[in-house]
Amino acid sequence: MGFSFPVPSTVSSKLDKLGLHRDEDLALHLPLRWEDETRLTPIRDLVPGLPAVVQATVQSAEILYRPKRQLVATVADDSGQLVVRLLNFYPAQARTLQPGKLMRFSGEARGGFFGLEMIHPRFQAVTADTPMPANLTPVYPTTAGLGQVMLRKLIVRALSQIDLSETLPESAYEGMEFPGFAESIQLLHQPEPGIRLADLESHCHPAFRRLAYDELLAQQFSLRLARKARADKHATPMKSGVHLEKALRASLPFRLTPAQERAWSEISRDLGSAQPMRRLLQGDVGSGKTIVAALACLQAVENGMQATIMAPTEILAEQHYRKLKGWMEPLGVEIAWLASALSIAKKRDAIARIESGQANLAVGTHALFQKGVHFRNLGLAIVDEQHRFGVRQRLELSKKGLEPHQLMMSATPIPRTLAMSYYADLDVSVIDSLPPGRKPVTTKLVANSRREEILQRVRNVCASGGQSYWVCPLIEESEKLQLQTALDTFHTLRKQLPGIEIGLVHGRMKTADKNAVMDAFVSNQVQLLVSTTVIEVGVDVPNASLMVIEHAERFGLSQLHQLRGRIGRGNHESVCILLYQNPLSEDARSRLKIIYESADGFEIARKDLLLRGPGELLGSRQSGVPLLRFANPERDIDLLELARMHAPKLIQQQPDAVSAHLARWFGTRMMLASG
Ligand code: ADP
Ligand code: MG
């Protein structure tokens, strides 16, 4: 579609997959690494394990079964002989490797059974005077069916077509010693020999930093413009709801903490404004976000508007429903409950109550926002555990009439660098302390071989009236296997722990069954709850004081922190046991060490970011929205700060330059569609 030269449809579908739709996208598709193919190496001088280019004549080539079908050729130059082996090959490739032909082979040599060999080198037929490439050879990220040669050709073509002039005035780069845009792009695609590959690969080269900075600027522009656009939209201002708020506060068995009060007053003030609120409420697991959300809902209701709370899992949504019902029904507030698993009749009934306005508050899963649900007058939409939905997945709210206020809640604290980049269009409130009386959870790392001791611990806890979670191993590759493991664990524990009531919950259960088990756990009829990670978010049973996590080494850091947050909610000493299986990988060991040493969600999230990059934290895997491609907010914090400093001025003084810059970087797929 957006290329200035013809691209066959088979190729353009591959480019689509890579997110490359225009000449500009090709120009910004940077190499993963570079190979030095500017020099020939005599066969005699090949060093096993090092990449090299050899120019040699094919002596023999035959298809052998050894035991797998493969193409084996012997090639030679003046200095020696080399075996070339292709395990997968096309007939055309077999035809190229004809005895007598002079070819160039590029790859890594290694010592093989038949002497020195190259497996799967890249190769091309040449003549004695075919010139060597003048520059390093870029190796691009690609997808199956789109070869490097083709991709390189397209990129060279695109580079020759597009305008690489500067989009922004020099003032945007004041004091920074960066090369120009065109120069940076050229250099990264076609670096001259002699440049230090290590500088390019570590992304510290000024050319790379220049592009990272441009990208961060584009991100700041787009988020800030979205924020400005929002300022022009209208929401219904809602006066702070004195009556219902007072009544709810009076009925609570606790007082809000100062941190909760602060967050609530920020939210309440936003709700009173005619500008739609976009606020993120952050607070570590157990910090008490739900009650703040409830107060916000009441402010909407008291102003004659509807409110809604959406949760990522049915278990959590159901829990919210019950909790809110307990708090609000006595105040005369009507609540509707909606999840995909409801019977058609119940769903229909809930939808009707939402549409007529009879329900003041709707609680549910994403089913709430599917087609066919229309609120009568939605004033406030709350998304709980927002990180589970993905960073840029904004609510698909009916756009008729006024914009509702939006509140996003997250227990995954967002490190400062991420908040400064990805969330620059949101206001943030933080609940930075836990309610009083929480006892810190003790974390123990225990090798799986000591299982029997753990079983004894479960017996002790249950015998003294306490309750326990048992989290089954995560098996990311297969949901089926995961389910089977949960069932097996459940049955084994039943045998090993006679006399203890054990329940099982997992994601595939029918709603009614799931509810029955959760109910029984809440009321302490079930003492040990065996579960998959469905209990990861939100589940709140204060009497549970022990959690065993099997194969803890398979879980991510934030996930472990969330899971551990299910305990330590009551007034018992709580213990979280991380069972691990030896031998541990280096990576798993460092993760377990972090979770063992820290109970602070911010600290853990920051380390997680360093270990795994932003994708996981931001939930980009689910949302599929492109994150930053070049810049890494953590590594490039200096650039991020510069971008934040320069962006507002540029937006104000050079709006056309800003548009041109945005078009270059994001083009058709603008980074966000923030409403
Ligand atoms: P999260 O922020 O993880 O969603 P919740 O809202 O589920 O946390 O609150 C955790 C628990 O703390 C709940 O049982 C809640 O009723 C209780 N809680 C909330 N605020 C307070 C407070 N100020 N004092 C005592 N307990 C509180
Ligand atoms: Mg919560």
Side-chain angles (χ1 to χ4, degrees):
M1 72 188 217
F3 300 106
S4 65
F5 45 89
V7 174
S9 66
T10 46
V11 174
S12 76
S13 72
K14 306 282 189 236
L15 293 174
D16 254 358
K17 256 198 192 153
L18 295 169
L20 308 175
H21 313 292
R22 320 167 295 155
D23 293 5
E24 285 84 351
D25 297 334
L26 281 170
L28 290 170
H29 192 62
L30 292 188
L32 274 177
R33 56 194 171 82
W34 296 262
E35 280 172 3
D36 189 348
E37 297 182 338
T38 59
R39 288 173 304 116
L40 289 178
T41 304
I43 288 176
R44 185 184 10 149
D45 297 344
L46 287 175
V47 178
L50 289 186
V53 186
V54 162
Q55 186 158 303
T57 309
V58 180
Q59 313 272 292
S60 67
E62 46 188 338
I63 292 172
L64 297 178
Y65 293 82
R66 240 182 204 173
K68 238 188 104 208
R69 183 167 174 271
Q70 49 186 281
L71 181 62
V72 180
T74 311
V75 307
D77 66 6
D78 297 343
S79 72
Q81 268 201 351
L82 175 72
V83 174
V84 166
R85 233 155 21 115
L86 304 181
L87 301 172
N88 297 299
F89 54 92
Y90 296 109
Q93 289 178 305
R95 281 195 298 275
T96 325
L97 279 179
Q98 287 296 326
K101 276 207 186 155
L102 184 66
M103 323 251 343
R104 230 171 248 172
F105 301 91
S106 172
E108 247 171 52
R110 60 175 219 190
F113 189 70
F114 301 98
L116 213 50
E117 61 179 28
M118 260 191 199
I119 298 178
H120 274 283
R122 275 169 291 136
F123 56 90
Q124 67 177 123
V126 290
T127 64
D129 39 51
T130 305
M132 296 299 291
N135 295 320
L136 301 186
T137 309
V139 180
Y140 293 104
T142 188
T143 181
L146 181 63
Q148 289 293 331
V149 175
M150 173 57 104
L151 193 50
R152 240 176 260 152
K153 244 191 241 161
L154 292 168
I155 289 172
V156 167
R157 186 92 192 252
L159 285 174
S160 72
Q161 298 286 327
I162 64 165
D163 176 10
L164 292 174
S165 58
E166 298 292 320
T167 46
L168 300 174
E170 266 175 41
S171 64
Y173 305 95
E174 216 178 279
M176 298 168 224
E177 298 193 347
F178 292 148
F181 181 72
E183 197 187 323
S184 302
I185 287 278
Q186 291 293 355
L187 184 143
L188 291 169
H189 283 293
Q190 285 144 9
E192 287 171 15
I195 194 167
R196 276 175 36 129
L197 274 183
D199 283 351
L200 286 184
E201 277 159 9
S202 67
H203 298 173
C204 296
H205 193 278
F208 201 95
R209 285 179 39 91
R210 156 72 207 245
L211 295 185
Y213 176 63
D214 271 6
E215 183 178 42
L216 287 168
L217 271 174
Q219 185 190 43
Q220 291 295 323
F221 291 156
S222 108
L223 293 168
R224 278 159 206 266
L225 289 174
R227 187 191 268 265
K228 264 178 82 172
R230 201 172 84 220
D232 300 334
K233 293 196 174 145
H234 290 282
T236 309
M238 308 190 288
K239 287 198 284 296
S240 61
V242 180
H243 182 70
L244 289 175
E245 179 180 338
K246 263 198 186 147
L248 176 57
R249 282 176 183 268
S251 74
L252 292 176
F254 54 79
R255 298 168 70 101
L256 297 202
T257 62
Q260 284 171 312
E261 291 290 1
R262 189 162 15 89
W264 164 234
S265 71
E266 288 163 0
I267 293 164
S268 177
R269 193 192 53 218
D270 281 6
L271 293 175
S273 150
Q275 229 185 69
M277 168 173 79
R278 293 290 181 279
R279 189 171 279 279
L280 179 68
L281 174 59
Q282 278 189 28
D284 207 346
V285 208
S287 61
K289 297 182 289 293
T290 318
I291 183 66
V292 175
L295 290 172
C297 292
L298 289 183
Q299 184 158 335
V301 172
E302 190 146 3
N303 281 270
M305 310 285 291
Q306 288 173 299
T308 176
I309 299 186
M310 175 170 78
T313 67
E314 204 173 299
I315 288 189
L316 178 53
E318 170 96 24
Q319 260 212 156
H320 278 337
Y321 171 59
R322 292 181 191 203
K323 190 159 220 170
L324 293 164
K325 203 158 118 172
W327 282 337
M328 295 190 180
E329 266 189 357
L331 310 179
V333 174
E334 258 215 46
I335 310 187
W337 155 242
L338 193 63
S340 330
L342 286 183
S343 71
I344 295 191
K346 283 197 171 145
K347 235 187 258 179
R348 223 180 256 149
D349 173 59
I351 292 174
R353 286 166 60 221
I354 292 170
E355 289 188 351
S356 70
Q358 188 192 343
N360 308 107
L361 173 62
V363 180
T365 58
H366 57 273
L368 275 170
F369 295 99
Q370 270 151 13
K371 286 198 187 70
V373 184
H374 299 285
F375 287 83
R376 184 177 161 84
N377 58 353
L378 185 62
L380 168 67
I382 300 178
V383 182
D384 194 15
E385 306 292 350
Q386 189 263 349
H387 60 284
R388 296 286 303 256
F389 290 100
V391 62
R392 285 290 161 224
Q393 185 177 334
R394 294 299 164 89
L395 297 180
E396 283 295 322
L397 300 171
S398 147
K399 283 281 151 67
K400 286 178 227 126
L402 293 164
E403 284 278 318
H405 295 287
Q406 289 183 30
L407 178 67
M408 286 142 259
M409 307 203 288
S410 176
T412 299
I414 293 145
R416 197 173 69 99
T417 50
L418 288 194
M420 278 161 59
S421 53
Y422 299 100
Y423 289 89
D425 62 330
L426 298 181
D427 297 306
V428 179
S429 294
V430 182
I431 304 181
D432 54 9
S433 59
L434 298 180
R438 293 280 164 81
K439 299 238 174 74
V441 175
T442 309
T443 300
K444 292 180 192 277
L445 293 171
V446 178
N448 202 17
S449 49
R450 286 166 53 198
R451 227 179 149 78
E452 186 45 47
E453 285 168 47
I454 306 309
L455 291 173
Q456 192 49 44
R457 205 180 256 276
V458 173
R459 287 186 198 105
N460 294 345
V461 164
C462 294
S464 61
Q467 286 169 278
S468 172
Y469 293 99
W470 190 290
V471 181
C472 298
L474 180 70
I475 300 170
E476 278 202 328
E477 309 80 57
S478 158
E479 199 192 351
K480 217 167 141 193
L481 212 56
Q482 164 110 36
L483 197 62
Q484 192 52 50
T485 312
L487 288 170
D488 292 347
T489 309
F490 174 64
H491 291 301
T492 315
L493 287 173
R494 276 233 288 219
K495 275 194 217 114
Q496 292 172 323
L497 298 168
I500 292 181
E501 261 324 305
I502 306 184
L504 170 68
V505 280
H506 57 73
R508 279 287 136 133
M509 273 165 93
K510 288 218 183 75
T511 305
D513 298 339
K514 222 186 294 184
N515 286 343
V517 177
M518 288 310 292
D519 278 348
F521 191 57
V522 169
S523 62
N524 201 358
Q525 283 160 298
V526 159
Q527 297 158 289
L528 175 64
L529 184 66
V530 176
S531 85
T532 56
T533 49
V534 290
I535 58 141
E536 180 181 335
V537 289
V539 172
D540 183 30
V541 179
N543 191 47
S545 62
L546 176 65
M547 171 170 286
V548 180
I549 303 179
E550 276 201 79
H551 280 287
E553 75 278 2
R554 293 185 192 167
F555 292 83
L557 267 180
S558 296
Q559 211 169 16
L560 288 173
H561 180 64
Q562 292 277 334
L563 283 168
R564 185 170 59 180
R566 302 303 115 222
I567 55 173
R569 297 181 157 238
N571 35 26
H572 322 273
E573 294 286 345
S574 295
V575 178
C576 178
I577 293 173
L578 304 178
L579 281 177
Y580 63 86
Q581 182 69 53
N582 273 319
L584 282 176
S585 72
E586 209 40 58
D587 181 53
R589 192 180 294 278
S590 49
R591 258 181 292 136
L592 292 179
K593 183 162 179 284
I594 293 167
I595 204 81
Y596 174 74
E597 286 174 350
S598 180
D600 175 351
F602 270 93
E603 179 68 16
I604 291 170
R606 214 180 57 76
K607 296 203 161 139
D608 205 13
L609 183 67
L610 284 174
L611 282 179
R612 297 194 298 171
E616 300 281 336
L617 266 184
L618 295 172
S620 70
R621 282 207 311 202
Q622 291 99 304
S623 73
V625 173
L627 297 172
L628 293 167
R629 282 175 293 169
F630 307 132
N632 170 340
E634 199 75 5
R635 181 189 65 211
D636 303 322
I637 175 89
D638 58 328
L639 299 179
L640 175 57
E641 267 158 7
L642 286 169
R644 282 167 61 86
M645 187 175 87
H646 283 282
K649 258 188 314 193
L650 291 163
I651 290 176
Q652 206 181 21
Q653 293 164 6
Q654 308 269 349
D656 293 341
V658 164
S659 311
H661 191 76
L662 277 170
R664 168 175 286 168
W665 280 88
F666 300 138
T668 42
R669 49 164 195 183
M670 284 299 283
M671 183 125 181
L672 67 143
S674 174

